[in-house]
Amino acid sequence: MQSPITVVVIDGHTLTRYGLFRLVSADTGITVVGECGLASEAPALVASSRPDVVVLDVALPDADGLQLARELRDRHAELGIVVLTAQAEDDVLFRALETGVSAFVHKTAPNTEVLGAIRHAAVAAASFTATGLAHALARRAQVAAEPVGFPAGGMLLSPREFEVLSLLATGLSVPAIAGTMFVSLSTAKTYVSRVYEKLGAANRASAIMTAMRLGLIKPELSVMA
């Protein structure tokens, strides 16, 4: 029999933590092994309980939840991280994408979506999923007032760079891209930097949006639940 997915819940609202505990407890394949309400308590709790997945709020009483997510990702590469939010802004979603979390879920989402995000994070910690991301990327691309400038010849991606762009669009982290392409981490970082440079992008979200505008990738192929 397969062991249940272990979860730590980090949320400043007692009722939310209780609700998540009740939701998860109803699923025999998932179990809560710890919970806390402050970011300052989270690192020690995660280190001691060693969960498969952490579910945390974007807005914690004592810190930015996405900053905590970044710290947890840096310390625990294999940890699944699900971010819950009451903020529907696209910018929050893009920040989560850049932070390296596994899933981004609105607090009003159906129970099945929350549980699905936890299961995704448990088996694919390095891959990002979020309902509506493709639409958010399309909205961001539509409001871009000016065309992006490119270095001379910069729009020409090599086959290897196009492969990296495609993997970035699926939500894979840079270490996961390195593993998929069977190259070193430093080589993968070099490819990513070249893609950003040629697309005139500063980060993953910007690169994906630009690639969509140029027709290099299709919206339905970019990161989405």
Side-chain angles (χ1 to χ4, degrees):
M1 184 175 178
Q2 188 174 8
S3 300
I5 298 168
T6 55
V7 176
V8 161
V9 177
I10 306 166
D11 195 294
H13 298 88
T14 303
L15 287 178
T16 300
R17 295 201 306 273
Y18 177 73
L20 284 169
F21 180 82
R22 290 289 300 273
L23 172 64
V24 170
S25 296
D27 190 308
T28 57
I30 307 174
T31 184
V32 175
V33 295
E35 48 120 342
C36 66
L38 298 174
S40 59
E41 301 171 346
L45 176 60
V46 171
S48 62
S49 57
R50 302 182 67 181
D52 299 311
V53 178
V54 166
V55 180
L56 60 88
D57 191 4
V58 164
L60 294 170
D62 61 337
D64 178 353
L66 290 178
Q67 179 59 42
L68 172 62
R70 169 64 71 187
E71 294 173 4
L72 292 175
R73 168 60 66 239
D74 290 343
R75 296 183 184 187
H76 309 281
E78 303 302 319
L79 177 66
I81 303 176
V82 176
V83 171
L84 294 179
T85 180
Q87 306 173 46
E89 293 87 352
D90 288 349
D91 286 348
V92 180
L93 189 154
F94 292 138
R95 281 188 61 214
L97 171 63
E98 291 299 322
T99 296
V101 304
S102 314
F104 183 85
V105 184
H106 199 276
K107 285 190 173 182
T108 61
N111 291 348
T112 53
E113 185 175 330
V114 177
L115 293 173
I118 292 173
R119 293 192 186 95
H120 165 85
V123 299
S127 178
F128 182 80
T129 182
T131 298
L133 177 56
H135 296 297
L137 288 166
R139 285 193 295 272
R140 181 66 66 88
Q142 288 172 358
V143 300
E146 299 293 335
V148 177
F150 299 93
M155 290 175 61
L156 301 176
L157 296 181
S158 70
R160 204 65 160 153
E161 290 163 355
F162 184 80
E163 181 182 0
V164 169
L165 173 63
S166 300
L167 293 172
L168 285 169
T170 65
L172 288 184
S173 66
V174 177
I177 289 174
T180 300
M181 296 177 65
F182 301 101
V183 298
S184 68
L185 179 58
S186 62
T187 298
K189 288 180 178 178
T190 298
Y191 280 130
V192 171
S193 296
R194 288 177 182 170
V195 170
Y196 287 179
E197 180 181 357
K198 290 187 176 183
L199 293 179
N203 52 46
R204 181 197 300 253
S206 177
I208 293 173
M209 287 184 289
T210 299
M212 288 170 55
R213 287 167 54 197
L214 295 172
L216 297 176
I217 57 175
K218 296 180 180 180
E220 60 267 25
L221 297 181
S222 62
V223 188
M224 59 187 301

